[in-house]
Amino acid sequence: MRSEINQMSIKFPSRSSNEAFARQAIAAFAAQLDPTIDEINDIKTAVSEAVTNCIVHAYRDEMGYITLGAKLFDNGEIQITVRDKGCGIADVQQARQPMFSTGDAGRSGMGFTIMESFMDKLKVRSREGIGTQVTMTKQIAIRFGQK
C-alpha cells in the first residue's frame, strides 16, 4: 500500500506566460522523487498540455484561474491534477480523440493524446459550465539506494 509523502497546490491566472511557470513548478516538486531527465521531461510536457488546454479552451477569451496540484507517494508515484472552472467539456470522449479540437484551425487537437502518451494514467472529469479536472499519474523508477 502506498503512502503520501508530500503534496502541493498552486493557483495562477490563465495567462499563457504561466504555462512555463507551471512546467518549472511541477519539475521542482517532482525532483524530490529523483526522476531521470526523461521522466521529468515527460511530466513537464504533460503538465504543459493540460495547462495550455485550460488557457485555450476552458477560458477562451476570458481570464480565469488554474489550479495545479501534485502528490508524491512512497512507492515513487506522482499524481498531478490540473483544474479549471471554465466552460467545461461537452463530450469528454470526443475531446480525447486525436485531432479533435474546439480551438482555431491552428490547434492540433493532440493535447489529451500527448498527456496519455507521457503519463501512465490519465483521467478527465468535466461538467459544462462548471469546469474540468485532469488527473495524471506517473510511476518514477526507484533506483538503488532510494527510499
Side-chain angles (χ1 to χ4, degrees):
M1 183 160 154
R2 67 181 188 168
S3 296
E4 186 179 309
I5 57 174
N6 204 356
Q7 66 176 313
M8 70 90 164
S9 180
I10 53 176
K11 184 177 177 179
F12 49 88
S14 61
R15 297 189 199 318
S16 59
S17 58
N18 283 333
E19 178 268 333
F21 166 70
R23 286 172 59 91
Q24 295 308 314
I26 201 64
F29 187 73
Q32 297 171 66
L33 293 177
D34 194 25
T36 65
I37 296 293
D38 287 340
E39 289 168 332
I40 205 72
N41 284 336
D42 288 353
I43 291 166
K44 287 167 64 176
T45 298
V47 166
S48 177
E49 290 295 329
V51 169
T52 298
N53 275 358
C54 295
I55 294 166
V56 172
H57 302 290
Y59 295 113
R60 294 192 181 123
D61 297 321
E62 64 184 20
M63 191 62 56
Y65 283 92
I66 300 166
T67 302
L68 171 64
K71 293 179 182 179
L72 303 179
F73 296 92
D74 62 355
N75 67 348
E77 189 176 85
I78 183 168
Q79 182 182 71
I80 301 163
T81 58
V82 178
R83 188 173 65 247
D84 66 67
K85 293 185 177 181
C87 64
I89 301 170
D91 185 340
V92 172
Q93 293 287 73
Q94 183 182 37
R96 289 185 70 164
Q97 296 303 307
M99 308 306 287
F100 177 82
S101 178
T102 59
D104 61 37
R107 308 304 310 174
S108 71
M110 295 297 289
F112 286 128
T113 303
I114 291 168
M115 287 178 239
E116 250 177 334
S117 67
F118 283 98
M119 301 298 278
D120 297 324
K121 295 177 193 167
L122 174 69
K123 181 179 180 181
V124 181
R125 289 186 9 218
S126 189
R127 290 185 53 201
E128 282 190 281
I130 304 292
T132 302
Q133 179 173 303
V134 173
T135 304
M136 303 175 282
T137 306
K138 186 162 188 75
Q139 181 68 49
I140 303 300
I142 297 176
R143 289 178 287 291
F144 181 76
Q146 273 186 285
K147 199 169 179 182

